[in-house]
Amino acid sequence: MLLNLLLTFTLLMGRVKSDPDPLQDYCVSPCHSSHQQIFLNGVLCKDPTEATVSDFTTSALSRPGNTQTKPLMTNVTVTTTANLPGLNTMGLTMARLDFGGSGVVPPHVHPRASEVTVCLDGVLLVGFVDTSGRVFTQELHPGETFVFPKGLIHFLYNIDTVSSALAVSGLNSQNPGTQIVSLSSFIPKPPFLQEVLKSAFDINGQDVARIRKSLQR
Ligand code: MN
């Protein structure tokens, strides 16, 4: 009886499982194209007998990123299947975030991942806004951790104008994707119709031109 119930429950749970998350922005079916060109969701796997410990190790995050040459005084270094092949299909990405004085990771979203950040050095102001417009923001000191829910707009900011800061993030996708709100709005390729931006942000044509120009860095 109990076994039957358990079996039924398990079967039902299997039925209501949602689809697995896509690993790419889109994956258009090739069935209508004249020539078959298929793109794999992820990368190929090597023969498991040829896997070595180096496939699961990387020093990609060991070196400080150069923040001085960046307009926002921040440098983000991430693990990928190129620098850490063992990550393939594991649903994980790590990021090292170096901040110069007043460095900022501007408002952005990851469409395929939640992000958890631990501050290792300096003081960071971090936050996100939910879909109702409510803001959650916090000062992070070394050792403190903050979570950014999947798909919500969030930012990180070094509140010290001089000293550098350092944080490390984990994201629960092999390909989290990043859309920076300002860049995606004002300088996508090709650009949105100017009228759309004028209406959306209640600004004039000169404002649109000025913002576009200053973002082309
Ligand atoms: Mn992020």
Side-chain angles (χ1 to χ4, degrees), residues 43 54-58 60-61 76-89 92-95 173-176:
V43 297
S54 69
D55 291 326
F56 303 95
T57 312
T58 183
L61 307 186
V76 180
T77 313
V78 295
T79 58
T80 62
T81 50
N83 60 28
L84 187 54
L87 267 188
N88 192 32
T89 75
L92 296 167
T93 297
M94 289 288 289
S173 170
Q174 177 177 324
N175 189 14

Side-chain angles (χ1 to χ4, degrees), residues 108 110 115 148 154 156 171:
H108 66 282
H110 305 293
E115 175 174 0
F148 304 107
H154 61 282
L156 302 96
L171 298 107

Side-chain angles (χ1 to χ4, degrees), residues 138-213:
Q138 177 73 36
E139 253 184 36
L140 280 193
H141 296 260
E144 295 178 338
T145 300
F146 194 83
V147 65
F148 304 107
K150 179 177 176 174
L152 297 186
I153 295 176
H154 61 282
F155 69 90
L156 302 96
Y157 174 65
N158 177 8
I159 60 173
D160 196 297
T161 55
V162 181
S163 302
S164 61
L166 175 65
V168 167
S169 282
L171 298 107
N172 67 335
S173 170
Q174 177 177 324
N175 189 14
T178 298
Q179 281 192 302
I180 297 174
V181 177
S182 54
L183 303 186
S184 295
S185 301
F186 282 91
I187 50 169
K189 289 186 182 66
F192 292 158
L193 193 68
Q194 182 176 283
E195 299 307 317
V196 174
L197 298 175
K198 282 163 65 178
S199 297
F201 292 92
D202 194 18
I203 54 179
N204 62 36
Q206 283 86 38
D207 295 330
V208 173
R210 185 178 52 77
I211 296 168
R212 277 182 174 158
K213 190 162 175 247

